[in-house]
Amino acid sequence: MSAEPVAIHPPLGVLPLVTLYVTDRCNSRCVTCDYWRHGRDDMDLAAVTRLLPSFAQLRTQMVLLSGGEPLLNPDWAAIALLLRENGFKVWLLTSGLALAKQARRAAPLFDAITVSLDGTDPETYAAIRGVNAFHKVCEGIQAAAAHGARPGIRVTLQRGNFRQLPAFVDLAKDLGARQVSFLAVDVANPHAFGRTDDFVSDLALRREDLPQLERILDSMEQDHAEDFRSGFLAESPQKLRRILEYFAAIQGVGPYPRVRCNAPEFSAVIGATGRVQPCFFISGPSDARISETGARGGGELADVLNSSGMSALRSAIRDGRRAECKTCVCSLWRDLDVGCPSTLPTMSATA
């Protein structure tokens, strides 16, 4: 019997979107994330400067600054300016804790700003984010909008805040945001967001919560029809219902929603010490490291992306052989024939 043909994929030669974790440090204390427990490293301006030839070679168009909390990196403004001056669109994903203070500097440096906001009142925010900073974050969103950079708001839905889903839309409007987006809290991947092997979660909706979420989604489809049509609500009604399907699957009362994702084919994540991974949720091989950005040497970005380990990892993701992909809360699909989209994608991260 002849062996099944093996698909051969060309090397990754174009990388429209790059995420830089410019720091592992964070000033939030989120229940969903462990970066704040052990993050220490920053990516400095020299490290980003060394990446510029690789970005040019790979025809990168957009760079997302994330972390940790990127505004804790003392070089954040210089990094953003360097990228802009070299022709890249620059996107900031932030907790917003320092945005009120930094809005005047940040507004002209970023093509888009996304703020993580997980409560519509101080009590809910503090319970999820671990700090008493709801009003400060709202002030930061308003300050950025006042300086001409209306932020998007990203909400991680979980048992502690799902009942506030319609209120998030109203709050986003009141704060002058340009858009609000939602995704389910990831409780299926124990290693995402700097988590350790002893991560235990009680953040998902319980079985008895599911009918209430379904009623909320039904109401939103009627009450916020114009927000869906205009794109102020980033997800379609159908995509929002994937959140309900996800939590139902967590509780064993339905399958996980089908994941269609090719993010590793058009994007990559580079950590503060130069480690490269294919997406937010899957770590790269131990030797996937950019040269001179960390304590140990590595290779140039194109070489790292097309190393045997990274190529094999992309193949496993592409072929559906990675368990993390089957339960992913943030799948992304882009038509590779048309390159990077002109609008910024909705994407999960740690801020």
Side-chain angles (χ1 to χ4, degrees), residues 10 16 28 51 64 84 96 115 135 191 225 257 260 264 275 309 313 331 350:
S28 296
L51 285 167
L64 167 65
R84 283 188 69 88
V115 178
H135 293 298
H191 302 294
R260 184 172 184 248
R275 290 288 300 274
L313 179 54
S331 57
T350 62

Side-chain angles (χ1 to χ4, degrees), residues 116 118 153-158 161 165 180-186 193 235 239-240 242-243 246-247 280-281 328-331 346-349:
S116 294
D118 293 333
I153 291 176
R154 196 281 313 275
V155 181
T156 302
L157 280 182
Q158 50 205 280
N161 66 4
L165 203 158
V180 60
S181 66
F182 299 91
L183 74 160
V185 63
D186 181 342
F193 308 119
E235 291 79 22
K239 191 166 185 179
L240 273 186
R242 290 173 59 88
I243 296 175
Y246 172 81
F247 286 124
F280 290 111
F281 298 95
C328 184
V329 299
C330 185
S331 57
T346 301
M347 182 177 292
S348 168

Side-chain angles (χ1 to χ4, degrees), residues 89-132:
K89 292 183 178 180
V90 192
W91 177 15
L92 173 67
L93 180 58
T94 175
S95 66
L97 292 178
L99 191 56
K101 179 180 179 180
Q102 303 291 356
R104 184 183 296 274
R105 296 177 71 198
L109 289 174
F110 294 100
D111 294 278
I113 298 173
T114 299
V115 178
S116 294
L117 183 64
D118 293 333
T120 61
D121 57 66
E123 295 74 22
T124 304
Y125 181 93
I128 293 173
R129 306 292 294 190
V131 291
N132 184 16

Side-chain angles (χ1 to χ4, degrees), residues 72-323:
L72 289 180
N73 185 321
D75 287 342
W76 71 265
I79 289 171
L81 180 61
L82 174 72
L83 293 166
R84 283 188 69 88
E85 289 179 337
N86 280 271
F88 302 106
K89 292 183 178 180
V90 192
W91 177 15
L92 173 67
L93 180 58
T94 175
S95 66
L97 292 178
L99 191 56
K101 179 180 179 180
Q102 303 291 356
R104 184 183 296 274
R105 296 177 71 198
L109 289 174
F110 294 100
D111 294 278
I113 298 173
T114 299
V115 178
S116 294
L117 183 64
D118 293 333
T120 61
D121 57 66
E123 295 74 22
T124 304
Y125 181 93
I128 293 173
R129 306 292 294 190
V131 291
N132 184 16
F134 171 75
H135 293 298
K136 179 59 68 176
V137 174
C138 290
E139 181 186 346
I141 295 168
Q142 290 174 311
H147 285 95
R150 295 172 60 207
I153 291 176
R154 196 281 313 275
V155 181
T156 302
L157 280 182
Q158 50 205 280
R159 186 159 51 86
N161 66 4
F162 80 93
R163 295 174 182 86
Q164 298 178 346
L165 203 158
F168 277 112
V169 181
D170 297 332
L171 178 61
K173 291 179 180 178
D174 291 342
L175 295 177
R178 63 174 173 82
Q179 190 180 59
V180 60
S181 66
F182 299 91
L183 74 160
V185 63
D186 181 342
V187 295
N189 185 341
H191 302 294
F193 308 119
R195 297 167 181 164
T196 56
D197 289 331
D198 60 353
F199 172 76
V200 177
S201 170
D202 189 31
L203 304 175
L205 273 65
R206 295 172 179 168
R207 186 175 295 202
E208 59 267 28
D209 297 324
L210 300 177
Q212 185 174 4
L213 177 57
E214 185 169 20
R215 290 193 295 272
I216 290 170
L217 294 174
D218 288 341
S219 285
M220 285 191 66
E221 194 163 350
Q222 299 299 318
D223 299 341
H224 291 277
E226 179 55 33
D227 295 320
F228 284 115
R229 281 193 295 269
S230 69
F232 185 78
L233 263 163
E235 291 79 22
S236 66
Q238 294 74 26
K239 191 166 185 179
L240 273 186
R241 289 186 185 277
R242 290 173 59 88
I243 296 175
L244 175 63
E245 294 171 9
Y246 172 81
F247 286 124
I250 291 288
Q251 296 303 332
V253 293
Y256 283 98
R258 178 177 175 268
V259 172
R260 184 172 184 248
C261 181
N262 64 345
E265 309 295 335
F266 65 85
S267 65
V269 177
I270 303 175
T273 61
R275 290 288 300 274
V276 181
Q277 55 193 81
C279 70
F280 290 111
F281 298 95
I282 299 178
S283 297
S286 59
D287 61 349
R289 181 183 293 273
I290 302 300
S291 61
E292 300 182 298
T293 57
R296 296 191 299 274
E300 299 303 319
L301 181 56
D303 295 333
V304 172
L305 291 171
N306 292 299
S307 65
S308 59
M310 283 291 283
S311 296
L313 179 54
R314 280 198 306 278
S315 291
I317 295 169
R318 190 185 298 119
D319 298 342
R321 290 182 279 116
R322 293 292 302 209

Side-chain angles (χ1 to χ4, degrees), residues 34-94:
D34 280 346
Y35 273 107
W36 60 270
R37 297 180 186 275
H38 51 72
R40 299 291 184 272
D41 296 302
D42 290 340
M43 179 183 291
D44 61 21
L45 181 63
V48 180
T49 302
R50 286 191 293 268
L51 285 167
L52 294 178
S54 291
F55 292 168
Q57 177 188 2
L58 292 164
R59 289 180 277 169
T60 298
Q61 300 175 30
M62 186 184 300
V63 181
L64 167 65
L65 302 190
S66 183
E69 171 46 52
L71 295 182
L72 289 180
N73 185 321
D75 287 342
W76 71 265
I79 289 171
L81 180 61
L82 174 72
L83 293 166
R84 283 188 69 88
E85 289 179 337
N86 280 271
F88 302 106
K89 292 183 178 180
V90 192
W91 177 15
L92 173 67
L93 180 58
T94 175

